[in-house]
Each structure stands twice: as structure tokens, then as C-alpha cells.
Amino acid sequence: MANRILIDVEENLQEPEWLGRVEPFVEKVMKECSYDGEEVSVLFCSDSFIQNLNLTYRNIDAPTDVLSFENGERYTDEDGNTWLSVGDIAISLDTLPKNALYFEVDADEELKRLLVHGILHLHGMDHGEEHVEKGVEPVCEMLKIQKKILCALESEHLIK
């Protein structure tokens, strides 16, 4: 059946030239995870927008790189297809290059990491207090799966 992937950019932000490559990449991630018949939305936003989300929903008054909001509701569209709305992902375009510098990777690799990370969170995975750290091998299951997916899709490029 495949998946339904909705991509958007915060109002008043310039649409990145690579935006059209996000949907096919997310579809490949979801296929790697054997997710089918699901709907996910991805919003690219500013630090101020994601900071407001972080404050509202997590009581943390600071920007972050990625937030995931699980949904889990099923609905039937106008064509009679039933979808599982897994939720929404917000990714800060301001934090993306800062993370890339910190991890000493290019923006493309960091964008792929944030997308995979958000998708795994939408499926109930969590990493507790462990976070991705430069030069540190992941211990928790979520971050190991994330690394495996990123390795499998290493040849995919969003930002060229």
C-alpha cells in the first residue's frame, strides 16, 4: 500500500531547494522499518517555532533539533484507503547546520539522522537519557536501529 508522507515548511520560511527529496527518503526509511499504510507529517521550521513547541509540550524553554508528536489514530480517506496517522515531526532548519558542525558531518547526513530519529520516536521508541554523541557507539536499541537504517540508506542524498 505504501505510506502517505506530508512535507511542509513553516510559514514565512524559504523552502529549501532539497525539500522535494524528503518524501522519497522518508518512504525508504519507512520501508526499511516495514511500516506500511501509515501517514506521517514533517514540518521544517525555525528555532523560535520549535522552541515554542518545546515549551508548550515539554516545558523546556529552549530550541531543539527534532520533536516528534505521536498520534496513533486510524482514518479513512476520500478514496476509501485506511491510514494509521503515526504523527508529526518538527525539524529546526536553524539547528540542523549547528548539529552538523558538532557531529562533524555534512548537513545531508544530519538531516537524514533527524528524519530517522523522528520516525522512530513516532513508533514509540525512546532513548531515555542516551543521546547521539560524537564518537560514542550507541547502547540503547533505538539508537542502534537508527544507526542501522542510516547505514542502509547511506547512498541516499537529500542535500546535494
Side-chain angles (χ1 to χ4, degrees):
M1 174 178 192
N3 297 291
R4 178 181 271 189
I5 300 150
L6 310 169
I7 310 294
D8 203 357
V9 177
E10 177 189 346
E11 190 175 318
N12 299 322
L13 278 187
Q14 184 175 349
E15 186 175 293
E17 60 84 18
W18 45 260
L19 193 68
R21 294 187 281 277
V22 173
E23 181 182 343
F25 177 78
V26 170
E27 182 62 49
K28 289 175 183 176
V29 171
M30 294 177 81
K31 186 176 180 182
E32 274 295 312
C33 297
S34 301
Y35 301 148
D36 192 40
E38 297 185 350
E39 178 184 272
V40 62
S41 71
V42 180
L43 174 69
F44 292 98
C45 60
S46 63
D47 267 356
S48 60
F49 189 93
I50 208 164
Q51 180 172 349
N52 187 46
L53 290 175
N54 213 12
L55 179 60
T56 301
Y57 296 101
R58 299 178 66 222
N59 204 30
I60 299 172
D61 192 11
T64 189
D65 50 5
V66 59
L67 289 173
S68 297
F69 300 94
E70 291 180 57
N71 183 330
E73 294 182 11
R74 291 195 178 275
Y75 74 95
T76 302
D77 68 16
E78 60 280 351
D79 297 325
N81 298 311
T82 300
W83 300 94
L84 172 63
S85 177
V86 291
D88 308 309
I89 300 168
I91 295 176
S92 172
L93 291 175
D94 295 328
T95 299
L96 174 67
K98 295 173 196 171
N99 278 8
L101 279 173
Y102 170 78
F103 291 116
E104 299 175 353
V105 298
D106 61 27
D108 181 62
E109 188 173 331
E110 180 59 12
L111 176 57
K112 293 188 299 184
R113 185 191 71 80
L114 294 174
L115 288 164
V116 171
H117 194 85
I119 290 166
L120 294 177
H121 271 310
L122 289 181
H123 289 84
M125 293 187 192
D126 193 50
H127 47 81
E129 295 300 313
E130 182 180 356
H131 293 277
V132 175
E133 293 184 53
K134 181 173 48 176
V136 176
E137 238 358 82
V139 176
C140 77
E141 193 62 23
M142 177 188 170
L143 297 181
K144 287 179 183 178
I145 292 169
Q146 176 178 295
K147 184 176 179 178
K148 179 181 172 193
I149 294 167
L150 290 169
C151 285
L153 299 175
E154 187 176 13
S155 65
E156 298 294 322
H157 296 285
L158 301 173
I159 301 174
K160 296 180 180 185

